[in-house]
Amino acid sequence: MTVFGILFGVYAWYYGQESAQFGADQAALNKNFGFANTLLLLSSSLLVYAAVQAIRQQRHSLASPLILAAMGCGAVFLVDKGIEYYDKLSHGISAATSDFFMYYFVLTGLHAIHVIVGLALLGFVFSLSRKPTLTARQHTYLEGATVFWHMVDVLWIIMFPLLYLVH
């Protein structure tokens, strides 16, 4: 979170210094990708929350498909991000194009790495959700993994308007 906080602050400072260029580059982003990714991550967070509630209520048969659905949302997010990257790169837009796109690729790339780590943690949560009972330690792992996933979502909720919407 600290690294992202620093990057958000540096991005905002440079945006203020080069607002015309940042605004022009920002217009090249497809907001539909951003909206779709926002809906995917919000849906995944809701699914993870419902899965944790199901585990707490000893309804493990409900929790497993909820976790799988959340993982599916995360995977589709990555596919969507890959399509967006391909679109930019195929039009000659890369991190070297401008300061805006350098921050765009660094922020979204770092976020994508966190999504991959989060998906691995959700895989661990899936394995826990299939156990009939959990120890106190396993509940702690479950809570930690799901908090990480929610953090990934919160980062995107900040990043989406910062990169796509705010002028």
Side-chain angles (χ1 to χ4, degrees):
M1 288 292 274
T2 302
V3 170
F4 278 100
I6 291 169
L7 286 171
F8 293 155
V10 171
Y11 169 85
W13 189 82
Y14 275 103
Y15 195 108
Q17 300 297 311
E18 305 173 35
S19 59
Q21 183 61 50
F22 270 55
D25 290 342
Q26 191 180 39
L29 295 179
N30 185 334
K31 292 177 181 59
N32 293 332
F33 282 115
F35 281 118
N37 282 335
T38 301
L39 290 176
L40 285 165
L41 288 184
L42 288 175
S43 298
S44 73
S45 271
L46 182 62
L47 291 164
V48 166
Y49 172 78
V52 169
Q53 295 305 312
I55 290 170
R56 287 180 180 155
Q57 297 166 1
Q58 301 295 322
R59 298 169 53 200
H60 292 256
S61 63
L62 176 62
S64 296
L66 291 170
I67 293 295
L68 285 177
M71 292 175 71
C73 288
V76 172
F77 174 92
L78 290 174
V79 169
D80 194 39
K81 185 53 63 190
I83 292 169
E84 189 176 8
Y85 280 179
Y86 176 78
D87 180 60
K88 294 291 163 261
L89 295 172
S90 67
H91 286 92
I93 298 171
S94 69
T97 300
S98 67
D99 285 346
F100 173 82
F101 281 108
M102 187 268 299
Y103 286 110
Y104 167 80
F105 281 105
V106 167
L107 284 168
T108 58
L110 189 59
H111 181 260
I113 292 169
H114 282 74
V115 171
I116 292 167
V117 171
L119 286 173
L121 291 172
L122 288 182
F124 177 66
V125 169
F126 175 75
S127 71
L128 290 177
S129 72
R130 299 179 57 82
K131 295 181 182 261
T133 59
L134 299 179
T135 65
R137 175 173 270 182
Q138 289 170 326
H139 272 285
T140 301
Y141 292 154
L142 173 90
E143 298 287 338
T146 57
V147 165
F148 183 88
W149 187 253
H150 293 307
M151 178 204 69
V152 168
D153 293 351
V154 167
L155 288 172
W156 181 256
I157 297 300
I158 295 167
M159 198 176 308
F160 171 57
L162 194 65
L163 291 174
Y164 291 80
L165 302 177
V166 175
H167 294 281

